[in-house]
Each structure stands twice: as C-alpha cells, then as structure tokens.
C-alpha cells in the first residue's frame, strides 16, 4: 500500500519518515563528533563536509515529505488521544517539519554569507547571498540554536513514541512501523 490508509501510514510516508530520521540523526551525530577534533584537521573537515551533505539530504527529503503529508492525511490514532495530546502531537510534527526545512537553508545561507561555496555531492549550489561575514556569523548562531532545538525535539518525539507504545498502548507506533512482534 503506497498511500496512507485509515489505519496506517503507506509505504511512501514510512520511507520518507525513516529516511528523514536517518539523515537528521546523521547530521546531528556528525556535527557533534566534529567538536572532538582540532580545528584544521582532516577529520574535522570531513565531518563538517559530511554534516553538510546530510543536511542537504534532509532538505531534499523534507520537500516531498511535506507534499506527501499534505496530500495524504495521517491515519487516526486508536484509541483517540485527548484533544490536548492531539494538539501537542500536531504542533510537534509541524515544528519538526519547519526545522528540517529551515536548518539546511540556514546552513547554506551562513556558509555562503561567510564567503564559502556549498556543494551537494560535488555540485556547487547557486549563491543565495552575497558575502557578508557579520550576517554569516548571525545566521550560524541561529542555525546552531535551531539545531539544538531539533535535537531535543527529536528526542522528545522518539520518547513520545515509546510512551505511546509502552504506557498508553495505542497504535501511534504501529501506524508508522507496522505490527510489532
């Protein structure tokens, strides 16, 4: 089943969800690992490059994911959550989408404002901003702040999934992964 049904997410929604999750996790892990290596080292540079590539993959995946989500309503949770829980879940999901869209764009912007080129798999992206080191520094700070928010929101998202499955015992998780044995 490619499309969402009333009971579960379809294969496309599941694939986009898990591919986005892997790319976000990769971007977050890579940037955290970068801090363990000295500035100017080859390893630090490789981790930074890989972080950028993972972020660009997030950007490439979140656009079709948003389009798919808008055209394929999510299946209802059974049993239905309280209105407050439904609102929190909805807000959390849209915050994740917004961050997955904003962070790569901010990353591109701060790198270009710093006067450096951004390339995806060796292909240079068009310049969105002129060189402006002061703006680049400000955009980098916003990028890092939102990256930390994404980290914690992702942890909360995963914890909520476990809570729904283990404590509430609704079908929140099985809608996205299928029946758990």
């Amino acid at each position: 089943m490619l499309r969402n049904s009333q009971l579960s997410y379809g294969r496309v929604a599941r694939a986009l969800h898990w591919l986005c999750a892997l790319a976000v996790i990769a971007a977050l892990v890579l940037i955290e690992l970068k801090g363990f290596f000295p500035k100017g080292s080859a390893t630090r540079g490789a981790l930074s490059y890989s972080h950028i590539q993972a972020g660009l993959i997030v950007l490439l995946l979140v656009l079709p994911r948003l389009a798919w989500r808008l055209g394929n309503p999510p299946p209802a949770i059974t049993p239905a959550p309280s209105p407050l829980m439904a609102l929190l879940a909805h807000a959390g999901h849209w915050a994740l989408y917004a961050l997955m869209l904003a962070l790569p764009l901010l990353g591109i912007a701060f790198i270009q404002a710093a006067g450096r080129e951004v390339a995806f798999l060796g292909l240079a992206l068009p310049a969105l901003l002129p060189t402006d080191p002061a703006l680049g520094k400000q955009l980098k700070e916003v990028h890092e702040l939102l990256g930390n928010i994404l980290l914690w929101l992702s942890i909360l998202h995963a914890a909520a999934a476990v809570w729904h499955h283990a404590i509430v015992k609704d079908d929140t998780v099985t809608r996205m992964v299928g029946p758990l044995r």
Side-chain angles (χ1 to χ4, degrees), residues 135-155:
L135 176 62
K137 184 176 180 186
Q138 291 174 334
L139 292 173
K140 183 177 182 182
E141 289 174 7
V142 173
H143 177 79
E144 289 174 355
L145 172 66
L146 292 180
N148 287 324
I149 292 170
L150 177 62
L151 171 65
W152 288 106
L153 191 55
S154 297
I155 290 168

Side-chain angles (χ1 to χ4, degrees), residues 59-84:
L59 181 61
L60 288 175
L61 289 170
V62 77
L63 295 172
R65 184 168 179 202
L66 280 167
W68 192 261
R69 167 84 187 240
L70 292 172
N72 291 274
I77 298 171
T78 306
S82 71
L84 176 60

Side-chain angles (χ1 to χ4, degrees), residues 18-32:
W18 293 110
L19 289 170
C20 280
L22 288 173
V24 166
I25 291 166
L28 290 169
V29 168
L30 289 163
I31 204 63
E32 291 302 321

